[in-house]
Amino acid sequence: MNITDELKRKNPELPLFCVTDPEFAPYGRILPCKAREELSAAMEQTGIPESGNRYTASEPALEALASIAEIGRTVYGGMPIQAGFCNGRGSALNAEEYHKCSEVNYSTTGLVLLLALPGDVHDRILDSRDVRGFYLPPHTLIEIHPRVLHFAPCRIKDSGFNCLVVLERGTNEPLDSVDPSAPGEEGLLWMRNKWLLCHPDSPQAQKGAFVGIAGENLTLRI
């Protein structure tokens, strides 16, 4: 039994696929990766925390890589970018965010991404039953399309995950002010180029983010 089948067996309530499956096409695409060894060696140096998740938006050691410069040219058309990582041991949905640019991910550990499409959101509410899980195998470079909802990855083993995160520069930096009570999309804007919907049981809800996920706060069992 391969890892996708094993995860499906343990999580029957979650529609779960691999990024190599055709079901991934509306959410993103696999990218060619010419320098896996370089990228993998750099990601292995980023470390996985003992608990929780750690996000670093901009990591100079990653941004100095030729492979990151290539992503900047081929995916972002030469726009200024940042390369960082989200590493950890999380396994819960908690929230979904979207950006108005692509996000590029890569992992040496493998992980599961919990994704939703823009059309799954109705009146600023996402039903967690519309969330899909996608297994990202180790050493696979992917692009998540703009506006596709995603958040921190889920681990597939107790030792946790590492995940490269490439975005347009400035994404996820603090805003001068946010107003979750504002109407429309304005109420979802939480950080620069980051629109966020959270589950009422999430840490993000405790911080005042817009509560826009209904249903179960999904947790990936491994």
Side-chain angles (χ1 to χ4, degrees):
M1 182 179 293
N2 63 39
I3 190 166
T4 309
D5 290 338
E6 179 68 10
L7 289 169
K8 287 180 179 180
R9 185 183 67 80
K10 293 180 178 179
N11 300 273
E13 75 289 350
L14 174 65
L16 205 151
F17 308 93
C18 183
V19 298
T20 57
D21 293 335
E23 286 82 0
F24 183 58
Y27 301 84
R29 63 179 179 134
I30 295 176
L31 298 171
C33 188
K34 300 177 183 177
R36 282 187 176 86
E37 291 185 5
E38 175 194 66
L39 202 50
S40 294
M43 283 302 299
E44 291 289 353
Q45 296 301 311
T46 56
I48 297 172
E50 290 298 319
S51 62
N53 296 333
R54 178 162 58 97
Y55 173 64
T56 298
S58 177
E59 173 54 56
L62 290 171
E63 292 171 350
L65 299 177
S67 52
I68 298 299
E70 179 69 11
I71 289 169
R73 287 190 297 271
T74 59
V75 177
Y76 298 93
M79 292 290 290
I81 61 169
Q82 62 195 35
F85 57 88
C86 180
N87 296 355
R89 300 172 191 262
S91 57
L93 173 64
N94 283 328
E96 291 277 63
E97 68 182 6
Y98 62 90
H99 315 297
K100 295 186 180 178
C101 67
S102 295
E103 177 171 318
V104 172
N105 296 145
Y106 179 90
S107 173
T108 67
T109 60
L111 50 83
V112 166
L113 295 168
L114 298 178
L115 306 180
L117 295 171
D120 295 325
V121 180
H122 304 282
D123 295 325
R124 301 196 297 174
I125 299 297
L126 171 69
D127 191 321
S128 64
R129 291 176 296 183
D130 291 324
V131 172
R132 302 291 181 260
F134 288 93
Y135 169 58
L136 175 63
H139 313 293
T140 303
L141 187 68
I142 63 167
E143 175 187 359
I144 302 295
H145 295 321
R147 292 181 177 266
V148 168
L149 289 95
H150 61 283
F151 203 55
C154 297
R155 65 181 183 177
I156 57 171
K157 48 190 175 183
D158 289 337
S159 55
F161 65 83
N162 63 31
C163 184
L164 172 74
V165 180
V166 182
L167 290 159
E168 288 189 4
R169 184 159 293 280
T171 299
N172 291 326
E173 290 183 358
L175 291 163
D176 291 337
S177 63
V178 295
D179 183 7
S181 67
E185 194 176 44
E186 177 66 22
L188 309 182
L189 186 60
W190 189 242
M191 303 184 88
R192 291 181 66 187
N193 194 26
K194 177 191 184 88
W195 289 263
L196 183 70
L197 299 86
C198 69
H199 191 276
D201 296 337
S202 69
Q204 291 75 24
Q206 301 304 313
K207 296 177 181 178
F210 180 82
V211 175
I213 298 180
E216 181 184 354
N217 189 15
L218 300 169
T219 298
L220 187 76
R221 292 182 290 275
I222 59 174

